[in-house]
Amino acid sequence: MSVFVLRRILTLVATLFAASLIIFLVLDALPGNAAQMLMGADASPDAVRALTVKLGLDQPLAWRYLLWIKGMAVGDLGNSYVYGTPVAGLIAERLVLTIPLAIMSMSITVVLALAAGIYTAANHNKIGDVGVMSLTQIGIALPNFWFAILLILLFAVKLQLLSAGGFAGWDDGIWPGVKSLLLPAISLSVVQAAILARVTRSAVLEVLREDFVRTARAKGLGKREVLWRHVLRNAMIPVMTVMGLQFANLLAGTIVIENVFYLPGLGRLIFQSIANRDLIVVRNCVMLLAAMVVIVNFVVDVLYAFIDPRIKVANL
Amino acid sequence: MSTPLTATVPAIAPATRPATGFRRRALRLRSFVLGAALSLLVLGAALLSLLWTPWSAYDIDVASKLHPPSAAHWLGTDVLGRDIVSLLLVGARSTILVGVIAVGIGLTFGVCLGLIAAARKGWTEELIMRMSDFTFAFPAVLSAIMLAAVAGPGMVTSITAIGIFQIPTFVRVTRGSANAVWAREFVLAARAAGKGKFRITIEHVLPNILSILIVQATIQFALAILAEAALSYLGLGTQPPQPSWGRMLNDAQTLLFQSPMLAVYPGAAIAIAVLGLNLLGDGLRDLLDPRLARER
């Protein structure tokens, strides 16, 4: 086990470094001069030079990269070019919204998908199966931001139950915050749940065909018991792989959905920073999102080994 | 923006039971027919827009803004007085253009890399696979954001970002299915006959995985459409005055209380295109390679 985990950790670190290098090269090496972009094409060369020195952009590229890496290690991400405040603080403010949103939508996704997947597999080829599967086919085709707009139309415009956007914050207790994240979380999860439900269904069906299931049934275990005790655990591997990959989509989705609901989260911060040409904020936010994706997939990889010990042998 | 699932689900052993039973076959055929019909509808709309639209999709006529549906404007007009039907028709063109180029990028690079990985094995394969794993950490929206931050938003930005994100999926699918072909006896025979790796790849491997690639390309096309719509919605993709479905949704959102239907049409168009392509992909999978047909 330890060798397996060690190898995975090394891959994780290498991947994070590669990601940081690419992000740095794309955002800081290609555009020429961030100071020029900030000040616009008409700025006088002297002013641009002064800002370049002030932002530290006159240093060699490799040195700036090392400074950034060092800064990330100690939690100092530098100051925003536009606001002048620490980037770490800006990001932390936004994560208060984005992380609960991601957790809420992942939970809704998992609950919906497992329920639908197991139900359809257990009722294979019956009317309920066909119905739910047709629904998932439609769910996969829905753009999540359109579904979000439809939810706003229904719950905010027609029924006037929930607000069309904005975030209530966590100061007045949990409920107002959760309430303002409810529609965004649902719109993020519906598409993901449709995909995951299909994966769950085919994984469960696959396992149901295995010999050990027949053995368990022959032993006298009831259908339900076999399903819960033997089938699900074995069907979880593909389901978890997809969940890990979906997390990446979920984070990317928050960028879009936060814009639909005017939520002041990480996605909107990235977006405003692009508009403001605040490249240092963009760089750190993109790094954070990429790191979250890589780390979640790392955790999934390691979890496999616990769920199915055969995997680590295959990987050694 | 959904995951390229078909490719990334770890290989569950393919169903050994062939699809039998009239009902199931008919169901599958029906999904294929429906998928082909919806895809053709979108393609037809795009082609039609090249020849004819009821009104110009570019002319602004603020005097007739936000008209309800009428005989003149079947679905009404938007906030700039443009005819919704015309915008939808021309939008289909942008959608298809972005999809074709982005999938083309993914297909070209992905298939080449996948074929090389399967043929060379060893560290080359390891390197290519690690690189493609790594690319997955950058969903299309994220790379589009990076590109837009340095190069400015636009159709080229979104096509590049979507195309790059498509590469790893094609790498995985190509390598997986190419490896299976490499293990077959006729490849062994070809090697014994003295054919080199390159010739075997071109003459034996590629033709044998073509159907899988066609199916995957169809599904990736659907994903590209979703990605393009999201990017245009965010203002990172197709730029005005070029009509695009994502952009129309963005415009419509500010008018939800006055003209809610404006937000319904473009989204429905996207959903129809994506649903059509997904169904078409499923149907093609069953028709081209029955062995691949999983329990669905």
Side-chain angles (χ1 to χ4, degrees), chain A residues 146 195 201 206 209 249 260, chain B residues 3 5 12 253 263 295-296:
Chain A
W146 184 51
I195 297 169
R201 174 175 175 273
E206 207 63 52
R209 237 180 266 129
N249 288 299
V260 179
Chain B
T3 330
L5 282 166
I12 311 168
Q253 205 192 337
E295 294 288 344
R296 309 196 125 256

Side-chain angles (χ1 to χ4, degrees), chain B residues 184-199:
Chain B
R184 303 264 289 273
E185 285 85 359
F186 63 82
V187 172
L188 197 65
R191 297 204 71 167
K195 283 190 187 174
K197 281 188 172 172
F198 182 74
R199 257 188 86 186

Side-chain angles (χ1 to χ4, degrees), chain A residues 168-182:
Chain A
W170 304 110
D171 298 336
D172 307 329
I174 289 186
W175 176 237
V178 169
K179 201 172 147 190
S180 45
L181 293 183
L182 207 55

Side-chain angles (χ1 to χ4, degrees), chain A residues 15 19 22 37 124-125 137 141 143 145-146 153 195 198 201 206 209 242 245 249 260 270-271 274 277 289, chain B residues 1-3 5 8 12-13 23-24 134 142 145 149 230 233-234 249 253 260 263-264 267-268 270 282 295-296:
Chain A
T15 314
I22 288 186
M37 285 168 67
H124 187 207
N125 275 347
Q137 190 67 266
F145 58 97
W146 184 51
L153 269 179
I195 297 169
R198 296 178 79 90
R201 174 175 175 273
E206 207 63 52
R209 237 180 266 129
V242 174
L245 288 165
N249 288 299
V260 179
I270 295 185
F271 222 71
I274 293 178
R277 299 285 181 186
L289 288 176
Chain B
M1 251 165 263
S2 349
T3 330
L5 282 166
T8 48
I12 311 168
R23 195 173 56 145
R24 256 158 66 195
F134 170 72
L142 219 50
I145 280 172
Y233 172 78
L234 289 174
L249 277 174
Q253 205 192 337
V264 174
I270 300 168
D282 284 357
E295 294 288 344
R296 309 196 125 256

Side-chain angles (χ1 to χ4, degrees), chain B residues 79-229:
Chain B
V79 72
L80 297 174
R82 292 174 298 181
D83 177 56
I84 296 293
V85 175
S86 310
L87 287 174
L88 287 175
L89 289 176
V90 180
R93 213 196 294 163
S94 318
T95 300
I96 290 182
L97 185 70
V98 173
V100 167
I101 302 179
V103 173
I105 294 175
L107 198 64
T108 314
F109 287 96
V111 171
C112 285
L113 289 170
L115 287 175
I116 293 173
R120 291 289 299 267
K121 300 276 181 206
W123 65 266
T124 317
E125 184 178 31
E126 186 68 19
L127 183 71
I128 290 176
M129 295 324 289
R130 285 295 138 283
M131 268 168 53
S132 79
D133 282 351
F134 170 72
T135 315
F136 263 128
F138 292 92
V141 173
L142 219 50
S143 15
I145 280 172
M146 282 208 293
L147 290 176
V150 296
M155 209 185 221
V156 178
T157 300
S158 64
I159 288 178
T160 316
I162 299 169
I164 291 175
F165 189 59
Q166 301 247 344
I167 296 175
T169 312
F170 281 110
V171 171
R172 286 182 184 200
V173 173
T174 309
R175 171 188 164 259
S177 38
N179 271 341
V181 178
W182 275 99
R184 303 264 289 273
E185 285 85 359
F186 63 82
V187 172
L188 197 65
R191 297 204 71 167
K195 283 190 187 174
K197 281 188 172 172
F198 182 74
R199 257 188 86 186
I200 294 179
T201 299
I202 301 294
E203 288 176 12
H204 298 287
V205 179
L206 196 54
N208 273 295
I209 64 171
L210 212 54
S211 59
I212 297 172
L213 291 179
I214 292 173
V215 171
Q216 191 62 39
T218 317
I219 292 161
Q220 293 300 115
F221 202 129
L223 292 175
I225 289 180
L226 281 175
E228 195 276 336

Side-chain angles (χ1 to χ4, degrees), chain A residues 268-285:
Chain A
R268 251 181 107 65
L269 176 66
I270 295 185
F271 222 71
Q272 288 158 344
S273 312
I274 293 178
N276 295 335
R277 299 285 181 186
D278 202 348
L279 286 186
I280 190 168
V281 178
V282 179
R283 184 219 286 161
N284 284 299
C285 290

Side-chain angles (χ1 to χ4, degrees), chain A residues 17 37 45 59 61 71 114 164 196 216 266 299:
Chain A
F17 264 107
M37 285 168 67
Q59 316 273 352
L61 200 64
L114 291 187
L196 197 60
L266 195 63
V299 172

